[in-house]
Amino acid sequence: MEIIIILIIISLLVAISFLVAFLWAVKSGQFEDRYTPSVRVLFDEEKKIGNNNKKL
Amino acid sequence: MSNEKAYINEQVICYHCGDICKDKTIGKEEKFFCCQGCKIVFEILEENKLCKYYDFEKTPGISPAVRSESKYSYLEDEQTARQILDFSDAKINTVTFYIPQIHCSSCIWLLENINRLNKGIVSSQVNFLQKKLSLKFLNDKTSLKEIAELLDSIGYEPLINLDSVEKKKKSNYNKKLYYKIGVAGFAAGNIMLFSFPEYFGLDRSLDSVFGNFFGYLNLLISIPVLLYSASVYYLPAIKALRKRAINIDFPISLGIFALFFRSAYEILAQTGAGYSDSLTMLVFLLLVGKIFQNKTYDALNFERTYKSYFPLSVSIIKSGIETTIPLSKLKKGDRIIVRNGELIPADSILFKGDGNIDYGFVTGESIPVNKILGEIVYAGGKQYGEAIELEVLKDVSQSYLTQLWNNDTFTKKEDQTVSWFSNMVGKYFTIAVLLIANVSTIIWLNINPGIALSVFTSVLIVACPCAIALAIPFTLGNALRNYGKGNFYLKNINTIERLAKTDTIVFDKTGTITQSGNSSVNFIGEPLDELEKSIVKSISRHSTHPLSRRVYLEYQDCEHFEISNLKEYSGKGISGNILISKVALGSYAFAIGKPEPEKHPGEEKSSKVYFSINDRLRGVFSINNSYRKGLEEVIKSLGNDYKLHLLSGDNENERPHLSKIFNNNSILHFKQSPEDKLNYILRLQADGKRVLMIGDGLNDAGAIKQSDVGISVSEDISGFSPSCDGILDAENFSKLPEMISYAKTSMKIIYMSFVFSVLYNIIGLYFAVNGLLSPLFAAVLMPVSSVSVVLFCVIASDFMARKKLGEIRFYNVL
């Protein structure tokens, strides 16, 4: 049964790595502009994009 | 998009900006443009293969403003440039421009491909919600001035003013809140998992190894929540205690500490599993509420002063040579040049040129005023037409308009960010809870001293007013969003609470209840021929009366005649001789020389200017007071519940008409200076009134700031507005009574949810004082009470918004 203790510690480490990833994302400013990237991703250099009528 | 010509009601609209083409001759390859400016922008984009700009949105462009050569020459000044640049080294500079014109995805595409127009730009990035453009550029290839001019030439005029330089730092408070939520969420999730064995009846006597292991782990994980995540509650609580007050953060902090130390004791003494799950979940939920209430409108600025509108630098003439100096170095006696579209930075005397000054910023009245040599022009006006030379009379900060900001109202530190209701609750709640905790502890000491301490902590835990602490941010935060959908943007949630408590409403007139620049002039009588039109223009040009000024604007393109024997009688009219005729413009009695006949009822709605030639009536100019749509209904419905006041900077001309709209209890004041308005609000407040001020221009800035709630009515929400608590889109002005009543409804929802949460507390307290509060019971009761209260608040608040604000067009650009 002691294996459960080890497994739980591992799972906690995984959870901590997600927490660190979240903190890093906040720090690097990913939550500062939550709109522009969603538009930017639709711009394409090669292909011609159809009429994007999404109301802003 | 294949159709190159777009038609609206058979009218040709501009391919670039979408305006109606009055002149249908400006075209290119079957595309039409409303003006040369738009065509030039199109040609620039076409030449550089940037026509994809027109693919994302129809007619995305902005018609570029006419610009003088030296508009951006101040950017050549090294000191000024250094203030504007975010970062600069020998090779690369970084700069962020605020560009209010950013409005669609085409804008983002063009501005992020701007390096095709200027090879010196390395990278560019748009923040759409904040309407900001960040640029990196090479020092040796281009300059700040070139970039500003390039942006301006394609219609994206960067707004550079004193304010943008002084307030560059942005607080990272919100980031910290996200960190704290992350930590609390992490802890809550993991602790809940580790507590499952406990929930499902782990037998501690059989599995003491696991029981202890999970206990220590939970305690360890909850330490950062106690020390870091929950710290947002300790500081305000301590601050309030220092002022000998108790706010809602105090019982919350008390509950958090009771939870932690009770858990620590149980775990370390191996008597139980502790309440770490409740603790972390509670902190997590509370922080989510904090994030929710912090909805802000990035593109709007509620903290503007005159500095937000004043330029960074001015052109001065020193011994015959024109140079540019920073505004802060402008001194009394300097000779300055103000060009078309530029702002007058300080009170001055007109020295050279023909002044045609628009005080729209200051008064909300956008009809330009003519100024002649030797007249004083006040700071805040915008010159239209030729360049004028001025001699500065007063320092920038001492001018008629700007000295308003030296008033105490603006230097006072704001302490209106704390909710009144939650503090009342916090105070009485804490007293009641401490009383119950102590009484039940004393009773238990007599019955069973062993569990007396555990009863004491149980009461503190279960009585934590977390439901009410969540009801306020969720109800008001939701209301804030619903207001936003109705194009009414409030600074923060406490504004709603204060709005609900106001009992007096003060209106400004020009620009607030009237529509700026939208009055219409109708000529009643035989149509005027060209000669007569020129006569009207020539005489009205000299008048100072606003109605005649409005007539002048209608005919300003006509020919001009010399006038002899010019006489103006204030409040009556203006007369003079043109060619061989005597011409008069003014009131009926003045123009005709006979007393005015009885008016028909309903005729008063518009102001009239009578026009006579040789004492014979030629016709009447009827100028419709363009009061805002629905004004009468707004005033009528507000007049029932509120005491209304009107403060106007104008003369009494409109009093008869306005006193018909306002009811008899209302008080109308005219000829009010910006400072009069501020002092008027102060007097009302001294009488114990809670004042809602509704204004628009910089001349209302003092009154808006001083009032309990100051709302600015604006036709262009991201454009101009003074420092205020809320910005109302002029289009929804008629919804004002419903908006205010929705604030009251929101407060009612909070009171109701308060009753709910007290009921939950009573249930919890019953178990707590009887010494029956188990960790599992706490872990269920606390989230259930919090979540049900939050759901009630959000659903009720949405329902009422639909009921009250429902007819508003629900579109939102922010």
Side-chain angles (χ1 to χ4, degrees):
Chain A
M1 285 297 271
E2 271 64 42
I3 190 72
I4 289 184
I5 292 181
I6 295 166
L7 285 175
I8 280 177
I9 289 173
I10 291 172
S11 84
L12 195 62
L13 288 177
V14 172
I16 286 173
S17 70
F18 282 123
L19 175 65
V20 170
F22 172 75
L23 296 181
W24 169 80
V26 173
K27 189 169 195 287
S28 67
Q30 289 184 26
F31 287 79
E32 263 164 34
D33 184 0
R34 280 171 287 175
Y35 181 80
T36 326
S38 73
V39 177
R40 195 177 294 133
V41 77
L42 298 172
F43 298 146
D44 200 312
E45 283 307 305
E46 271 76 47
K47 273 185 283 179
K48 192 171 162 59
I49 297 167
N51 201 355
N52 176 9
N53 270 334
K54 193 173 163 251
K55 266 278 155 265
L56 303 182
Chain B
M1 218 168 65
S2 57
N3 61 326
E4 303 289 10
K5 257 187 285 182
Y7 291 93
I8 292 179
N9 298 335
E10 310 246 332
Q11 268 169 322
V12 183
I13 62 164
C14 178
Y15 184 71
H16 178 69
C17 71
D19 273 358
I20 292 161
C21 298
K22 285 181 186 150
D23 176 1
K24 290 178 189 166
T25 58
I26 310 169
K28 196 185 177 184
E29 302 160 14
E30 289 185 31
K31 299 180 182 75
F32 285 89
F33 299 96
C34 64
C35 58
Q36 286 298 339
C38 285
K39 191 183 169 191
I40 290 169
V41 177
F42 173 74
E43 282 166 357
I44 294 174
L45 298 184
E46 192 185 37
E47 201 178 305
N48 292 282
K49 301 194 172 57
L50 284 167
C51 277
K52 224 157 95 182
Y53 179 57
Y54 299 99
D55 291 341
F56 301 111
E57 301 273 341
K58 273 186 192 176
T59 60
I62 303 116
S63 193
V66 184
R67 170 169 58 98
S68 64
E69 268 310 299
S70 56
K71 183 171 175 184
Y72 293 106
S73 56
Y74 64 90
L75 292 176
E76 282 172 336
D77 179 45
E78 216 165 284
Q79 201 187 336
T80 315
R82 214 178 306 135
Q83 283 180 297
I84 295 168
L85 291 170
D86 297 331
F87 172 82
S88 135
D89 66 16
K91 268 181 81 181
I92 282 183
N93 285 333
T94 314
V95 68
T96 305
F97 286 124
Y98 172 59
I99 305 176
Q101 283 89 347
I102 295 176
H103 68 283
C104 67
S105 48
S106 284
C107 301
I108 301 173
W109 182 81
L110 180 62
L111 292 174
E112 295 199 340
N113 285 293
I114 193 93
N115 56 352
R116 291 203 220 164
L117 292 176
N118 184 333
K119 296 289 174 242
I121 298 171
V122 183
S123 75
S124 55
Q125 194 170 34
V126 173
N127 184 326
F128 184 81
L129 295 178
Q130 295 185 359
K131 299 187 189 296
K132 278 186 178 151
L133 173 69
S134 307
L135 292 162
K136 267 191 195 140
F137 62 93
L138 296 170
N139 257 343
D140 50 347
K141 290 249 175 77
T142 186
S143 69
L144 204 54
K145 183 189 166 204
E146 270 177 38
I147 292 173
E149 283 178 348
L150 168 67
L151 289 170
D152 194 316
S153 72
I154 55 172
Y156 294 95
E157 180 193 353
L159 214 65
I160 305 166
N161 52 41
L162 269 179
D163 223 22
S164 59
V165 172
E166 284 178 10
K167 278 198 216 150
K168 215 170 236 169
K169 292 165 282 177
K170 220 193 145 195
S171 77
N172 55 350
Y173 171 73
N174 232 336
K175 250 186 192 176
K176 274 189 187 151
L177 203 53
Y178 276 109
Y179 293 149
K180 286 177 178 168
I181 276 207
V183 171
F186 161 81
N190 282 288
I191 290 178
M192 195 184 274
L193 270 180
F194 301 150
S195 301
F196 267 118
E198 191 73 31
Y199 296 163
F200 293 124
L202 171 106
D203 194 340
R204 298 188 78 86
S205 55
L206 283 178
D207 281 314
S208 69
V209 179
F210 279 121
N212 288 339
F213 173 68
F214 286 131
Y216 290 136
L217 213 52
N218 286 349
L219 192 62
L220 190 74
I221 298 172
S222 59
I223 288 174
V225 175
L226 175 85
L227 296 181
Y228 182 64
S229 296
S231 61
V232 283
Y233 289 95
Y234 311 150
L235 221 62
I238 294 169
K239 246 188 208 164
L241 279 182
R242 281 213 189 113
K243 284 191 216 156
R244 300 184 168 275
I246 293 173
N247 59 16
I248 196 157
D249 295 321
F250 182 75
I252 292 175
S253 308
L254 213 59
I256 291 170
F257 273 96
L259 275 166
F260 182 79
F261 287 108
R262 171 81 180 268
S263 312
Y265 169 76
E266 282 189 5
I267 291 166
L268 294 176
Q270 304 191 351
T271 55
Y275 301 87
S276 307
D277 46 352
S278 302
L279 166 69
T280 47
M281 184 54 81
L282 170 73
V283 173
F284 178 66
L285 283 175
L286 286 170
L287 291 178
V288 169
K290 267 212 189 301
I291 283 267
F292 191 79
Q293 74 172 36
N294 278 349
K295 160 84 184 167
T296 50
Y297 298 104
D298 287 329
L300 301 183
N301 189 342
F302 295 102
E303 307 293 345
R304 286 178 172 143
T305 68
Y306 70 91
K307 287 181 178 164
S308 310
Y309 304 100
F310 276 39
L312 264 179
S313 60
V314 280
S315 311
I316 66 164
I317 298 183
K318 228 173 195 172
S319 45
I321 304 155
E322 189 185 331
T323 50
T324 310
I325 61 160
L327 190 62
S328 52
K329 288 188 185 154
L330 189 67
K331 290 187 309 290
K332 240 187 275 184
D334 281 346
R335 190 77 67 81
I336 58 173
I337 299 178
V338 175
R339 294 197 167 75
N340 184 21
E342 287 182 351
L343 201 81
I344 293 156
D347 294 355
S348 342
I349 289 184
L350 186 59
F351 215 79
K352 201 170 149 191
D354 197 8
N356 186 35
I357 293 153
D358 171 8
Y359 282 105
F361 262 0
V362 185
T363 60
E365 177 60 64
S366 56
I367 299 173
V369 185
N370 231 26
K371 292 279 180 185
I372 54 165
L373 296 188
E375 270 191 283
I376 294 179
V377 290
Y378 292 107
K382 254 188 183 176
Q383 161 69 4
Y384 285 104
E386 60 177 2
I388 49 173
E389 267 183 57
L390 305 164
E391 190 174 301
V392 177
L393 276 183
K394 282 182 180 164
D395 288 337
V396 175
S397 62
Q398 295 303 321
S399 292
Y400 176 72
L401 175 73
T402 51
Q403 66 175 356
L404 193 63
W405 274 268
N406 302 331
N407 193 296
D408 285 344
T409 308
F410 289 95
T411 50
K412 219 168 31 187
K413 221 188 137 208
E414 231 178 315
D415 197 24
Q416 293 178 315
T417 50
V418 190
S419 162
W420 165 84
F421 178 66
S422 71
N423 283 345
M424 289 301 287
V425 171
K427 193 168 148 195
Y428 293 108
F429 218 85
T430 313
I431 295 169
V433 166
L434 287 177
L435 211 67
I436 294 171
N438 283 314
V439 169
S440 51
T441 310
I442 290 165
I443 293 171
W444 275 103
L445 275 175
N446 292 319
I447 306 168
N448 181 357
I451 65 161
L453 195 66
S454 105
V455 167
F456 182 75
T457 48
S458 296
V459 171
L460 291 189
I461 288 167
V462 88
C464 174
C466 45
I468 190 69
L470 284 168
I472 292 171
F474 274 98
T475 312
L476 297 186
N478 201 45
L480 198 74
R481 287 166 173 78
N482 287 331
Y483 275 131
K485 285 177 195 162
N487 294 0
F488 180 30
Y489 306 100
L490 290 171
K491 190 161 109 186
N492 55 36
I493 60 164
N494 301 106
T495 309
I496 302 176
E497 193 176 351
R498 277 181 280 129
L499 185 61
K501 283 171 71 188
T502 50
D503 52 18
T504 306
I505 303 180
V506 181
F507 289 95
D508 165 56
K509 185 174 117 346
T510 320
T512 304
I513 60 172
T514 67
Q515 225 156 330
S516 58
N518 206 21
S519 54
S520 62
V521 177
N522 292 321
F523 184 72
I524 306 165
E526 283 283 304
L528 298 169
D529 60 32
E530 284 307 312
L531 177 69
E532 284 167 323
K533 279 182 186 168
S534 303
I535 290 173
V536 172
K537 180 225 167 157
S538 309
I539 188 144
S540 59
R541 180 171 185 266
H542 296 279
S543 175
T544 53
H545 194 277
L547 293 179
S548 305
R549 299 291 319 161
R550 183 63 192 89
V551 172
Y552 166 68
L553 284 183
E554 202 67 12
Y555 299 104
Q556 57 181 338
D557 297 333
C558 299
E559 226 180 304
H560 180 67
F561 296 114
E562 281 305 311
I563 298 180
S564 58
N565 204 12
L566 187 76
K567 278 186 196 127
E568 181 167 21
Y569 301 91
S570 153
K572 288 177 181 161
I574 188 166
S575 69
N577 294 335
I578 296 182
L579 306 175
I580 49 157
S581 310
K582 177 175 177 270
V583 186
L585 201 65
S587 69
Y588 186 90
F590 178 81
I592 317 292
K594 278 186 284 191
E596 195 171 358
E598 280 292 305
K599 272 182 181 165
H600 304 294
E603 210 179 33
E604 292 89 343
K605 273 232 163 179
S606 60
S607 305
K608 293 199 163 74
V609 178
Y610 293 84
F611 172 44
S612 70
I613 300 174
N614 293 331
D615 289 333
R616 201 176 55 79
L617 182 66
R618 177 65 187 81
V620 186
F621 296 98
S622 140
I623 294 152
N624 288 314
N625 285 319
S626 52
Y627 285 105
R628 290 205 187 282
K629 231 169 67 194
L631 175 71
E632 278 169 55
E633 290 78 31
V634 167
I635 298 295
K636 209 175 151 197
S637 110
L638 289 176
N640 293 333
D641 305 323
Y642 293 90
K643 178 102 174 150
L644 303 182
H645 300 255
L646 178 86
L647 298 180
S648 170
D650 288 352
N651 54 31
E652 307 234 353
N653 279 338
E654 293 280 313
R655 185 189 274 279
H657 178 60
L658 282 167
S659 48
K660 269 182 203 121
I661 299 179
F662 283 83
N663 63 19
N664 294 334
N665 291 327
S666 308
I667 301 166
L668 314 180
H669 289 280
F670 294 88
K671 289 183 189 158
Q672 300 281 308
S673 76
E675 247 173 320
D676 290 341
K677 291 185 180 182
L678 170 57
N679 290 329
Y680 191 79
I681 304 281
L682 277 171
R683 274 203 301 280
L684 284 174
Q685 286 173 329
D687 289 343
K689 300 273 193 291
R690 283 188 284 265
V691 186
L692 164 63
M693 170 79 201
I694 300 172
D696 74 313
L698 276 182
N699 60 343
D700 304 322
I704 286 179
K705 182 88 181 171
Q706 177 58 42
S707 58
D708 296 76
V709 180
I711 291 172
S712 154
V713 176
S714 179
E715 254 137 63
D716 172 16
I717 44 156
S718 58
F720 160 77
S721 58
S723 164
C724 58
D725 298 308
I727 300 173
L728 173 64
D729 190 324
E731 216 158 82
N732 282 331
F733 181 77
S734 59
K735 286 279 173 187
L736 197 63
E738 285 87 357
M739 302 268 187
I740 298 173
S741 109
Y742 182 54
K744 286 185 170 173
T745 312
S746 299
M747 288 315 290
K748 271 185 208 143
I749 292 172
I750 291 177
Y751 299 147
M752 275 156 79
S753 62
F754 174 65
V755 173
F756 284 147
S757 71
V758 166
L759 285 178
Y760 279 121
N761 275 318
I762 290 172
I763 298 171
L765 278 171
Y766 170 79
F767 285 94
V769 295
N770 286 307
L772 297 169
L773 187 76
S774 73
L776 181 59
F777 184 76
V780 172
L781 181 75
M782 296 180 76
V784 164
S785 66
S786 302
V787 169
S788 61
V789 164
V790 165
L791 278 180
F792 165 75
C793 290
V794 172
I795 291 169
S797 139
D798 271 348
F799 177 76
M800 293 313 289
R802 219 164 293 140
K803 204 168 149 193
K804 284 192 187 284
L805 315 176
E807 288 157 47
I808 292 172
R809 243 182 325 148
F810 269 55
Y811 73 94
N812 200 348
V813 287
L814 297 171

